[in-house]
Amino acid sequence: MEQDVQQILEEALAEGQNVLIEGKVASYIPELAKADSSNLGCCIMNADGSMYKAGDYNIPFTMQSIAKTFSLILALQTSGYDHTFSKVGMEPTGDRFDSILQLELKDWRPFNPMINAGAIVTADCIAAADPFGEFLTLVRKLCGNPKIQLNEKVYHSEKRTGTRNRSIAYLLKSDHVLDGEPEDVLDVYFRMCSVMCTAKDLAHYAMILSNKGVDPKTGERLLDADIVRIVTTLMMLCGMYDESGEYAVKVGLPSKSGVGGGIVAVGQNGMGIGTFGPMLNKKGNSVGGERILQYLSERLGYHIFA
Amino acid sequence: MEQDVQQILEEALAEGQNVLIEGKVASYIPELAKADSSNLGCCIMNADGSMYKAGDYNIPFTMQSIAKTFSLILALQTSGYDHTFSKVGMEPTGDRFDSILQLELKDWRPFNPMINAGAIVTADCIAAADPFGEFLTLVRKLCGNPKIQLNEKVYHSEKRTGTRNRSIAYLLKSDHVLDGEPEDVLDVYFRMCSVMCTAKDLAHYAMILSNKGVDPKTGERLLDADIVRIVTTLMMLCGMYDESGEYAVKVGLPSKSGVGGGIVAVGQNGMGIGTFGPMLNKKGNSVGGERILQYLSERLGYHIFA
Amino acid sequence: MEQDVQQILEEALAEGQNVLIEGKVASYIPELAKADSSNLGCCIMNADGSMYKAGDYNIPFTMQSIAKTFSLILALQTSGYDHTFSKVGMEPTGDRFDSILQLELKDWRPFNPMINAGAIVTADCIAAADPFGEFLTLVRKLCGNPKIQLNEKVYHSEKRTGTRNRSIAYLLKSDHVLDGEPEDVLDVYFRMCSVMCTAKDLAHYAMILSNKGVDPKTGERLLDADIVRIVTTLMMLCGMYDESGEYAVKVGLPSKSGVGGGIVAVGQNGMGIGTFGPMLNKKGNSVGGERILQYLSERLGYHIFA
Amino acid sequence: MEQDVQQILEEALAEGQNVLIEGKVASYIPELAKADSSNLGCCIMNADGSMYKAGDYNIPFTMQSIAKTFSLILALQTSGYDHTFSKVGMEPTGDRFDSILQLELKDWRPFNPMINAGAIVTADCIAAADPFGEFLTLVRKLCGNPKIQLNEKVYHSEKRTGTRNRSIAYLLKSDHVLDGEPEDVLDVYFRMCSVMCTAKDLAHYAMILSNKGVDPKTGERLLDADIVRIVTTLMMLCGMYDESGEYAVKVGLPSKSGVGGGIVAVGQNGMGIGTFGPMLNKKGNSVGGERILQYLSERLGYHIFA
């Protein structure tokens, strides 16, 4: 059986490599445009300690939107459920991740914490003297990797060029959704997006979420079970931008992608998956990573409703 | 254990009755406004044959939007995946169930089959000489109740007053999404919404979905496993109108509600739940039904990510 | 001077003919697609009885949206200012003439009487036993042509294919803006759009508007001065669909166009202009007619702010 | 006749004072909230040198959106027609003056130069080493008042609190509409809004516009006639925010209002009007000023189509 998983994972990697040509590297942040388009890797980690890996599973990249899940966790931990969800909704939306219109048309609250506007709000909800410090501590703990670091170049690149996120933050301030100053909140937001991780780090994180927040090695509870439930549910419903529905039908695992090329996918029964491949489709999701996950889901019955 | 479920179900019913006062009976269709606001009931059915029931689990009501799930099944069965999803998307939306604006703003395809525009499209995709006849046959089979019937009064009431759905259908025709004539498609749509069922019928239907499409009594496959996966996933993501996200966080079961007061909820491991209570919240979902389901989810650990 | 006007009009016609190639005949109504794309004509009529004409000034075509101005007049005459403007606004909009989204996003009242939704409302506001009969009487009187008739073929073509207008009418009914039945109101609307006129007829109509509603030949007041002021102002602000602003900057005369190819333009001091040319630009306005009017405006100083 | 105008102007002032109670002083900029709500004044100036004045016609206030007309003039003078209108449209819009949604939904160009987004663009189009210096020179010249100055307090108040305009500017930058840096363009924009003028200054400005750009005292051409035509037309179509249509029907003069309480109205035949009254209606227009202008229009026949 273990051999089966490893073999199917390698087939999945090969399938993923075949579709890389359909994607494009993110270009809207200059530093991201330098990614190696041939990269592709995957890591599967189980609570029982078993691990399967293939390709570039150990190459670091920036988290980008995957950081939104950690930011939500920290907001819930430090500001609580009621305060956080008085500032951001829980509803999926068919709009693009960087859409502004919903803020004007429908509600001053961003739809959910998985789009940019929502994550800027959860960053603002982190009640801590050093929000980014807390973030880094949390990421290292949940990824099981104390060496995780900020990529200063990407951070400065995002900060310098992030005009659309700046527009969103000032609009949220104008509507009295943000308590902090837009530039301060954005600084935390840009730093969080620029933290480096690997597919293996993400597999560990997903394994912890699948294990209901408990570290299987130590038995230590790293996350409150309610927070795990909330974050996992929102990943299922809105973790893949405006492709979340199609992805859920095809792959069927709570997941979150980032334009750095990563996808974190929460399996069942203490299983976690991380993928990395910077070639993105039009929705901003890794083409190779999605293909790998769909292959694994079909061949290994990972779909939550299959 | 069986006694536990029955006792907790009765507690859930009492909890549900307490919140009925917060709801309102649907008024936009004259015939629906005549519902008995004190009604509330629930039925849980398992593939092993066990069943738990409480309150008005056997009082018939019209399916309304729950019919959208059967319509999607029929579209997939008769027109196939590719054709159906070339006409309607798979993405959740934060817009109201009867929203028109998305059709003008974003895409000529309705976002998903669980909103009115999307269900009018799936009704149009049913490739059959007698679409409504096929629908009734399917409903009877999946609900395990050959006596299920159309409510003629509600059907005529909807047909006479459904100006907003009529507006949507003509817009879809204008954008060349509908193949059939709007009035013909609407006639099928209004009939489907007006079919009568009980909470027990819905529990049976959900039990079949949870059992991957196989009737546990006979071993007969009633639905293709792929279709079960698609329908269940879309119920999870967009089955509760623009409250789907909050409901998923709180209850965590693939569900579909109707303004007739019903909710069908797909449990895990061959378990199905149906609730009925015509008092609705502002989003159009049964307040009593939602309360029962949240209570069951919390007390019995039904949440898919708990 | 008279010779000058005639000569400049002929130059204008030649200019207009040069740009016909940039346009396209309206295709969304089958009957309109049969128009002769080479047609182009213009007529200028003054209150002093002088008249200048060029090209196909006497070829009949259907009014289409030009009918919206007569419909507004009748609504104001029979239902009054307060009732009419409680149902339709007076604000220009940058949206397309057949836009639906504003009705959902902003206000249940259509923005103004010059877009389809607004004209369907003014048609509903005509308080008369025979609304279309009153319409025809008014048109004949203001155009000074008792022979003006309905084009039955175009009327039936529009009625059969007008799915988008039907969608708008049912939406307005659903929002309780329409008092009448959608199909009844649409029948009046489609008939009004299908009335035949010539550029000469339109020049007479514009001359009456420019003369503050008084027929210069008889001294008879045909229209109340307040109604003339309202209609002329709304033509200035929103008579040329979502090209109204650019047209006002370039031509500077209160005007209304129709997809049948006509433009009626109200000059100053008792002067009226009608043009006809079925080749339309992307906004739905006659390319030849616009070119003629811009040429006349520049050469003869017709711009209201020049 | 002169006495008549003076008497009717005084009646108009009294009418205006009666409706002040319906308004509210602008509160979104802290410094504006300190305005004296009882202020109301008007000045009428003619090219023949005659002048009529009433009430607080000589009390200074900040221009706010009236500055948008000067900014458009400067953009046209320094960047030309083609460049300016490649960056901003000419179409009126029914959206609010500070709307963002159109930028996402419809076009990356703001609809017109009279809304905030459009004026931020025209500020960016002023091709000059010292854009604000050029602005001040132009304002002083057209208002005939060399003492006109910036209000430093209001400027700093706007700059500190202008989060919504900041959001708009960053969105325009993100969509590559702005050439300059958002903060630089906003600094010019906020300064322009904060320039002080009186109703008398505005009357002089409007008189020059009505006189086709020529100073009647000296015969000097202050503005190109084409620019006068463009600015005046856009004032007519979109100078009064999303009340432009209703105002045009009622008053019928090309006008521009500002939330500082001013309205500049261009009369016919070399006549200009300025009003001042900081009590605003819901659309952001001076209630007293509008009432005065409507009274003058009705009693003195000022409506351009009356």
Side-chain angles (χ1 to χ4, degrees), chain B residues 99-101 104-105 163-164 166-167 170-171 173-175, chain C residues 99-101 104-105 163-164 166-167 170-171 173-175:
Chain B
S99 179
I100 269 182
L101 75 97
E104 175 154 335
L105 288 184
T163 47
R164 194 168 180 99
R166 205 160 254 117
S167 176
Y170 280 107
L171 189 60
K173 185 66 182 178
S174 159
D175 291 339
Chain C
S99 177
I100 268 183
L101 75 98
E104 176 156 332
L105 288 184
T163 48
R164 193 166 180 100
R166 205 159 254 118
S167 176
Y170 280 106
L171 188 59
K173 185 65 182 178
S174 160
D175 290 340

Coordinates of all heavy atoms in Angstrom, one line a residue, chain B residues 99-101 104-105 163-164 166-167 170-171 173-175, chain C residues 99-101 104-105 163-164 166-167 170-171 173-175:
Chain B
S99 N -30.8 36.7 -7.8 CA -30.1 37.8 -8.3 C -30.0 37.7 -9.9 O -29.9 36.6 -10.4 CB -28.7 37.8 -7.7 OG -27.9 38.9 -8.3
I100 N -30.1 38.8 -10.5 CA -30.0 38.9 -11.9 C -28.7 39.5 -12.3 O -28.1 39.3 -13.4 CB -31.1 39.8 -12.5 CG1 -32.3 38.8 -12.8 CG2 -30.7 40.6 -13.7 CD1 -33.5 39.6 -13.4
L101 N -28.1 40.3 -11.4 CA -27.0 41.2 -11.9 C -25.8 40.5 -12.4 O -25.1 40.9 -13.3 CB -26.6 42.2 -10.7 CG -25.8 41.7 -9.5 CD1 -24.4 42.0 -9.7 CD2 -26.3 42.4 -8.3
E104 N -25.6 39.9 -16.0 CA -25.2 41.1 -16.8 C -23.7 41.4 -16.6 O -23.0 41.7 -17.6 CB -26.0 42.3 -16.6 CG -25.6 43.5 -17.3 CD -26.7 44.5 -17.6 OE1 -27.8 44.1 -17.6 OE2 -26.3 45.7 -17.8
L105 N -23.3 41.3 -15.4 CA -21.9 41.8 -15.1 C -20.8 40.9 -15.5 O -19.7 41.4 -15.9 CB -21.8 42.1 -13.6 CG -22.6 43.2 -13.0 CD1 -22.3 43.4 -11.6 CD2 -22.2 44.5 -13.8
T163 N -42.9 36.5 -11.5 CA -42.4 37.5 -12.4 C -40.9 37.6 -12.4 O -40.3 37.8 -13.5 CB -43.0 38.9 -12.2 OG1 -42.9 39.1 -10.8 CG2 -44.5 38.9 -12.6
R164 N -40.3 37.4 -11.3 CA -38.9 37.5 -11.2 C -38.2 36.3 -11.9 O -37.2 36.5 -12.7 CB -38.4 37.6 -9.8 CG -36.9 38.1 -9.7 CD -36.5 38.5 -8.3 NE -35.1 38.9 -8.4 CZ -34.7 40.2 -8.5 NH1 -35.6 41.1 -8.4 NH2 -33.4 40.5 -8.6
R166 N -39.5 34.7 -14.3 CA -39.8 34.9 -15.7 C -38.8 35.9 -16.3 O -38.3 35.7 -17.4 CB -41.2 35.5 -15.8 CG -41.9 35.3 -17.1 CD -43.4 35.4 -17.0 NE -44.1 34.1 -17.1 CZ -44.8 33.6 -16.1 NH1 -45.0 34.2 -15.0 NH2 -45.4 32.4 -16.2
S167 N -38.5 36.9 -15.5 CA -37.5 37.9 -16.0 C -36.1 37.2 -16.2 O -35.4 37.5 -17.2 CB -37.3 39.0 -14.9 OG -36.3 39.9 -15.2
Y170 N -36.2 35.0 -19.4 CA -36.1 35.8 -20.7 C -34.7 36.4 -20.9 O -34.3 36.5 -22.0 CB -37.2 36.8 -20.7 CG -38.6 36.3 -21.1 CD1 -39.6 36.1 -20.2 CD2 -38.8 35.9 -22.4 CE1 -40.8 35.6 -20.6 CE2 -40.0 35.3 -22.8 CZ -41.0 35.2 -21.9 OH -42.2 34.6 -22.3
L171 N -34.1 36.7 -19.8 CA -32.7 37.2 -19.9 C -31.8 36.1 -20.4 O -31.0 36.3 -21.3 CB -32.3 37.8 -18.6 CG -30.9 38.5 -18.6 CD1 -31.0 39.7 -19.5 CD2 -30.5 39.0 -17.2
K173 N -32.7 33.6 -22.1 CA -33.0 33.3 -23.6 C -32.3 34.4 -24.4 O -31.7 34.1 -25.5 CB -34.5 33.4 -23.7 CG -35.0 33.0 -25.2 CD -34.7 31.6 -25.5 CE -35.1 31.2 -26.9 NZ -34.7 29.8 -27.2
S174 N -32.4 35.6 -24.0 CA -31.8 36.8 -24.7 C -30.3 36.6 -24.9 O -29.8 37.0 -25.9 CB -32.1 38.0 -23.9 OG -31.3 39.1 -24.3
D175 N -29.7 36.0 -23.9 CA -28.2 35.7 -24.0 C -27.9 34.3 -24.6 O -26.8 33.9 -24.5 CB -27.6 35.8 -22.6 CG -27.6 37.3 -22.1 OD1 -27.7 38.2 -22.9 OD2 -27.5 37.5 -20.9
Chain C
S99 N -29.6 47.9 -20.2 CA -29.0 47.4 -19.0 C -30.1 47.0 -18.0 O -31.1 47.7 -17.8 CB -28.1 48.4 -18.4 OG -27.6 47.9 -17.2
I100 N -29.9 45.9 -17.3 CA -30.8 45.5 -16.2 C -30.2 45.7 -14.9 O -30.9 45.9 -13.9 CB -31.1 44.0 -16.4 CG1 -32.3 43.8 -17.3 CG2 -31.3 43.3 -15.1 CD1 -32.7 42.4 -17.5
L101 N -28.9 45.8 -14.8 CA -28.2 45.7 -13.5 C -28.6 46.9 -12.6 O -28.7 46.7 -11.4 CB -26.7 45.6 -13.6 CG -25.9 46.8 -14.0 CD1 -25.3 47.5 -12.8 CD2 -24.8 46.4 -15.0
E104 N -31.3 46.2 -10.2 CA -31.1 45.4 -9.0 C -30.2 46.1 -8.0 O -30.4 46.0 -6.8 CB -30.4 44.1 -9.4 CG -30.1 43.2 -8.2 CD -30.0 41.8 -8.5 OE1 -30.7 41.3 -9.4 OE2 -29.2 41.1 -7.8
L105 N -29.2 46.8 -8.6 CA -28.2 47.4 -7.7 C -28.6 48.6 -6.9 O -28.2 48.8 -5.8 CB -26.9 47.8 -8.5 CG -26.1 46.6 -9.0 CD1 -24.9 47.1 -9.7 CD2 -25.7 45.7 -7.9
T163 N -36.8 39.3 -26.2 CA -36.7 38.6 -24.9 C -36.0 39.5 -23.8 O -36.4 39.4 -22.7 CB -35.8 37.4 -25.1 OG1 -34.6 37.7 -25.8 CG2 -36.6 36.3 -25.8
R164 N -35.1 40.4 -24.2 CA -34.5 41.2 -23.2 C -35.4 42.3 -22.7 O -35.5 42.5 -21.5 CB -33.2 41.9 -23.8 CG -32.4 42.5 -22.7 CD -31.0 42.9 -23.1 NE -30.3 43.4 -22.0 CZ -29.4 42.7 -21.3 NH1 -29.1 41.5 -21.6 NH2 -28.8 43.3 -20.3
R166 N -38.6 41.9 -22.6 CA -39.5 41.1 -21.8 C -38.9 40.8 -20.4 O -39.6 40.9 -19.4 CB -39.8 39.8 -22.5 CG -41.1 39.1 -22.2 CD -41.5 38.1 -23.3 NE -42.6 38.6 -24.1 CZ -42.5 38.9 -25.4 NH1 -41.4 38.6 -26.1 NH2 -43.6 39.3 -26.1
S167 N -37.6 40.5 -20.4 CA -37.0 40.3 -19.1 C -37.1 41.6 -18.2 O -37.3 41.5 -17.0 CB -35.5 39.9 -19.3 OG -34.8 39.8 -18.1
Y170 N -40.7 42.1 -16.9 CA -41.1 41.2 -15.8 C -40.3 41.6 -14.5 O -40.9 41.4 -13.4 CB -40.8 39.7 -16.1 CG -42.0 39.2 -17.0 CD1 -41.8 39.0 -18.3 CD2 -43.2 38.9 -16.4 CE1 -42.9 38.5 -19.1 CE2 -44.3 38.4 -17.2 CZ -44.1 38.2 -18.5 OH -45.1 37.8 -19.3
L171 N -39.1 42.1 -14.6 CA -38.4 42.5 -13.4 C -39.0 43.7 -12.8 O -39.2 43.8 -11.6 CB -36.9 42.8 -13.8 CG -36.0 43.1 -12.7 CD1 -35.9 41.9 -11.7 CD2 -34.6 43.4 -13.2
K173 N -42.1 44.5 -13.1 CA -43.4 44.0 -12.4 C -43.1 43.4 -11.1 O -43.8 43.6 -10.1 CB -44.1 43.0 -13.4 CG -45.4 42.5 -12.9 CD -46.4 43.6 -12.9 CE -47.8 43.2 -12.3 NZ -48.7 44.4 -12.3
S174 N -42.0 42.6 -11.1 CA -41.6 41.9 -9.8 C -41.3 42.9 -8.7 O -41.6 42.7 -7.6 CB -40.4 41.0 -10.1 OG -39.7 40.7 -9.0
D175 N -40.8 44.1 -9.1 CA -40.5 45.1 -8.1 C -41.6 46.1 -8.0 O -41.4 47.2 -7.4 CB -39.2 45.8 -8.6 CG -38.0 45.0 -8.4 OD1 -38.0 44.0 -7.7 OD2 -36.9 45.3 -9.1

